[in-house]
Amino acid sequence: MTSAPLAARLSAPSGPLFFPVTAYGSDGAVDLDAYRTHVRRGVEAGAAAVFACCGTGEFHALTPEEFEACVRVAVEAAEGRVPVVAGAGYGTALAVRYARLAEAAGADGLLALPPYLVIAGQEGLLRHYREVAAATGLPVVVYQRDNAVFTPETVVELARTDGIIGLKDGLGDLDLLQRIVSAVRTEVPGDFLYFNGLPTAEQTQLAYRGIGVTLYSSAVFCFAPEIALAFHSALGSGDEETVRRLLDGFYRPFVELRAQGRGYAVSLVKAGVRLRGLDVGEVRPPLHEPGEDHVKQLAQLIERGYALLEEGM
């Protein structure tokens, strides 16, 4: 664990937020050595935080034992240089179990993923996340997406809950998010963190920044950290030329390629990590691997992205 409070460490990040993929060996088992290398390289490349075993890390595919081992390895690889946040999800009982496993493994915080399957009302969602937050001493970021969509009034109550420090938005409804930000700002004293959690968040980050959301997840950082860092730096410094060049030449084509297959927000990223020389294995079912042609297009796109960086030097 890091010594500084998680909210303070995340509020002004020095680099992208890193969501590593989970590595598997040829036998399908978790490859902790490859995972350690992946996390360590990301930290050394300039990640501001490691979000282990979340969406990109195939939380859904991991057993509790695999999850705890991966979180522990991520903490070891980070060596206290950046905070490690672990995913926690499913129904309330299992989410609590994963939260406690993450705490035992040394994580600095939790990303509370949507509950499994059911479409719950606001009262039930609020109770669910409050029970997860109360289960450990770890600060919690709640992930809004799919079947966990909140009214501004519910987020106000979440923000008033001890241990809940922020909201990650994977819905993309900026009208709703603006009303949430306004309501929390009006009703709850102190800071509350907001994250852009859409797939390939760089593509929408200019819009999110317009309503004051400066934090975002970066899956691209997994396989092209220099590109992700250059974009993050350009956003922070107001370098609009670099932002536009990378959006037009790399991120938009990547998003269009990602849209060619279901689950590509994970499997295409994992293919990118392999293309860059680290064998992290394939995705587990029910996800599937991208087709050969799509992998070739990805390789060309990565090459083009690095060429764009050279153009700007």
Side-chain angles (χ1 to χ4, degrees):
M1 295 181 69
T2 52
S3 57
L6 179 64
R9 296 293 297 275
L10 293 178
S11 60
S14 58
L17 305 178
F18 175 34
F19 286 68
V21 301
T22 298
Y24 306 123
S26 58
D27 60 355
V30 170
D31 185 338
L32 292 176
D33 289 336
Y35 185 66
R36 181 180 290 105
T37 298
H38 181 44
V39 173
R40 186 182 67 247
R41 287 180 180 177
V43 172
E44 292 173 350
V50 175
F51 283 70
C53 303
C54 297
T56 309
E58 295 180 79
F59 171 81
H60 69 277
L62 299 173
T63 68
E65 294 77 16
E66 291 172 330
F67 168 86
E68 183 178 16
C70 285
V71 174
R72 193 176 300 278
V73 165
V75 171
E76 293 170 356
E79 297 180 328
R81 292 171 288 180
V82 298
V84 175
V85 179
Y90 300 120
T92 306
L94 274 176
V96 164
R97 182 182 178 189
Y98 277 97
R100 289 172 175 162
L101 289 173
E103 185 175 44
D108 295 282
L110 299 170
L111 178 63
L113 305 169
Y116 172 71
L117 191 60
V118 296
I119 308 297
Q122 297 295 296
E123 181 180 355
L125 288 171
L126 181 59
R127 181 181 175 188
H128 169 80
Y129 290 106
R130 281 181 165 169
E131 290 193 21
V132 174
T136 74
L138 298 179
V140 176
V141 175
V142 174
Y143 198 175
Q144 169 169 265
R145 59 175 293 171
D146 301 324
N147 59 329
V149 177
F150 309 105
T151 64
E153 294 77 15
T154 298
V155 181
V156 166
E157 294 305 313
L158 289 171
R160 287 174 173 159
T161 301
D162 288 343
I164 296 180
I165 64 168
L167 179 76
K168 182 181 180 185
D169 180 63
L171 183 65
D173 184 339
L174 292 185
D175 175 83
L176 173 60
L177 187 59
Q178 177 65 83
R179 289 186 286 117
I180 287 171
V181 170
S182 178
V184 173
R185 183 170 59 227
T186 302
E187 300 292 335
V188 185
D191 296 326
F192 193 67
L193 301 179
Y194 297 93
F195 304 75
N196 175 1
L198 288 174
T200 318
E202 288 93 340
Q203 179 72 9
T204 53
Q205 187 53 27
L206 283 173
Y208 274 80
R209 285 178 70 88
I211 60 173
V213 178
T214 59
L215 302 171
Y216 63 92
S217 55
S218 178
V220 167
F221 186 86
C222 288
F223 62 87
E226 296 85 359
I227 297 173
L229 281 163
F231 185 86
H232 185 274
S233 176
L235 271 180
S237 65
D239 180 358
E240 295 182 6
E241 180 181 350
T242 297
V243 168
R244 287 195 298 266
R245 184 170 67 251
L246 291 176
L247 282 175
D248 295 347
F250 175 78
Y251 283 104
R252 178 178 57 81
F254 177 73
V255 168
E256 291 171 348
L257 178 59
R258 191 198 72 210
Q260 298 302 306
R262 289 189 177 274
Y264 272 20
V266 178
S267 61
L268 200 65
V269 171
K270 207 163 193 180
V273 177
R274 294 195 301 269
L275 285 170
R276 299 304 307 285
L278 181 61
D279 186 0
V280 289
E282 299 185 350
V283 291
R284 283 178 170 174
L287 296 178
H288 69 280
E289 287 297 302
E292 182 179 348
D293 183 58
H294 289 161
V295 174
K296 289 180 179 178
Q297 291 179 50
L298 177 60
Q300 294 167 355
L301 187 54
I302 293 172
E303 184 177 348
R304 181 180 180 186
Y306 278 98
L308 290 171
L309 296 187
E310 293 292 331
E311 291 177 12
M313 300 178 92

